Amino acid sequence: MISTLNNAPIGVFDSGVGGLTVYREIRKLMPFENIIYFGDTMRVPYGNKSEENIKLFAMEISEFLVSRGVKMIVVACNTVSSIALELIKNKTKLPVVGVIKPGVDAAIARTKNKAIIVIGTRATINSHSYLNEIKTRGDFSVVEKACPLFVPLVEENFIEHKATALIAETYLGEFRKSIYDTIILGCTHYPLLKKVIEKTLKDINIVDSSQTCAKYVKKMLDDLTLASRSKKNGWSDFYVSDKPQNFMELAYRFAGVKICKINIKKF
Ligand code: DGL
């Protein structure tokens, strides 16, 4: 039986624009789905905030998405996935997908030396969410490193800047030519720094969980028979909590997403 939920939108959220990389992959893989994207641009960054506040923000946004009639919640933010995924799951009957498991799956499939570097915000690294998930899969060497300066560098479009290369060297130089052959980019901003990370670490497998996450979303919708039955391209609605001057530009740079209309939702 086709439930009325089939044509309901998927709710995707992040602390800001970074989650648009996940949005883009979902859109590519599932063109017929409707999507509501929320970016908490007023309160970004989450990465240096307390667990208490990250949980509060996550609940407010989830409740907002539920009130918009979504059929699934995708937490397209590593920090929220690390700190508040279980809380969101416990508070809603809807299926909830985060980015940690998909990232770990991809890393485990690629590492030959069973040695993985995880980089992320302070909150993500301090939560050990990736380490704990990797440990459930077997015996792997894991090193975790917070790289808090990467987020503002990306926001400032310092992608190719020598300051970014220097900071990447400071954070990651010690792992060059080490046993670690795979690195998980455990933050939505970091995929933009792929080139500089590759240059710093030379031969390394770089895992960006956005594609794996989109595959998870598709599989879960299929398993739950919740996928859209429409044969028309789906619509997308974008919400932010504050409209920064450069939001459109950042959205385009992050995800190649051209946004024509943005709605404001304040808490
Ligand atoms: N979205 C966050 C994450 O993936 C990065 C930006 C922030 O600190 O809010 O961890």
Side-chain angles (χ1 to χ4, degrees):
M1 202 179 76
I2 299 173
S3 105
T4 48
L5 271 183
N6 284 88
N7 292 332
I10 301 170
V12 180
F13 79 92
D14 179 38
S15 57
V17 286
L20 285 171
T21 50
V22 176
Y23 161 85
R24 178 188 56 195
E25 297 304 326
I26 294 176
R27 182 41 80 232
K28 264 198 240 162
L29 201 61
M30 290 158 272
F32 303 136
E33 294 294 342
N34 300 319
I35 304 175
I36 297 180
Y37 181 89
F38 180 88
D40 199 358
T41 48
M42 193 168 81
R43 302 185 287 200
V44 71
Y46 283 6
N48 296 327
K49 302 253 168 21
S50 66
E51 284 200 12
E52 192 189 347
N53 276 323
I54 294 165
K55 285 180 177 164
L56 174 73
F57 303 161
M59 283 322 300
E60 285 177 345
I61 299 165
S62 302
E63 279 161 21
F64 166 66
L65 291 172
V66 170
S67 78
R68 304 298 305 164
V70 301
K71 61 182 172 185
M72 170 186 268
I73 296 176
V74 180
V75 183
C77 173
N78 290 266
T79 302
V80 176
S81 295
S82 296
I83 308 291
L85 195 72
E86 289 313 309
L87 177 71
I88 303 170
K89 281 185 179 168
N90 290 337
K91 291 273 161 89
T92 171
K93 292 191 181 82
L94 296 176
V96 180
V97 177
V99 282
I100 310 294
K101 274 190 183 174
V104 168
D105 281 357
I108 284 175
R110 295 182 70 183
T111 178
K112 295 225 161 44
N113 296 348
K114 299 189 90 180
I116 301 169
I117 305 168
V118 179
I119 57 173
T121 63
R122 278 207 181 93
T124 295
I125 295 305
N126 290 343
S127 77
H128 304 299
S129 56
Y130 278 100
L131 175 69
N132 292 336
E133 183 60 34
I134 294 169
K135 271 191 192 159
T136 67
R137 315 296 180 91
D139 198 13
F140 291 86
S141 302
V142 179
V143 62
E144 302 168 288
K145 183 96 186 179
C147 303
L149 290 172
F150 279 170
V151 169
L153 287 168
V154 169
E155 298 263 346
E156 280 305 314
N157 203 9
F158 269 33
I159 312 287
E160 312 268 343
H161 201 283
K162 58 182 182 217
T164 308
L166 187 64
I167 286 166
E169 175 62 30
T170 310
Y171 283 148
L172 303 174
E174 62 179 304
F175 304 120
R176 191 166 40 248
K177 296 206 170 88
S178 67
I179 55 156
Y180 300 100
D181 63 356
T182 301
I183 184 166
I184 299 179
L185 307 185
C187 172
T188 52
H189 283 62
Y190 298 177
L192 273 103
L193 299 178
K194 258 185 196 165
K195 267 196 201 152
V196 69
I197 292 170
E198 220 157 40
K199 258 195 187 164
T200 309
L201 290 172
K202 312 288 181 222
D203 294 320
I204 191 103
N205 299 312
I206 298 189
V207 173
D208 153 11
S209 57
S210 55
Q211 283 174 357
T212 338
C213 180
K215 284 184 196 152
Y216 255 71
V217 171
K218 181 165 179 4
K219 185 173 179 329
M220 197 178 268
L221 288 179
D222 288 342
D223 289 351
L224 297 171
T225 60
L226 275 179
S228 166
R229 308 287 161 126
S230 167
K231 292 286 170 255
K232 281 197 298 197
N233 282 343
W235 48 258
S236 300
D237 269 357
F238 297 95
Y239 287 85
V240 290
S241 45
D242 186 27
K243 191 173 169 186
Q245 302 283 331
N246 60 350
F247 184 81
M248 307 282 200
E249 188 220 313
L250 276 178
Y252 191 65
R253 181 147 47 84
F254 261 99
V257 176
K258 280 191 185 152
I259 299 176
C260 304
K261 182 173 177 260
I262 304 180
N263 306 286
I264 305 285
K265 163 68 192 160
K266 289 193 192 294
F267 293 104

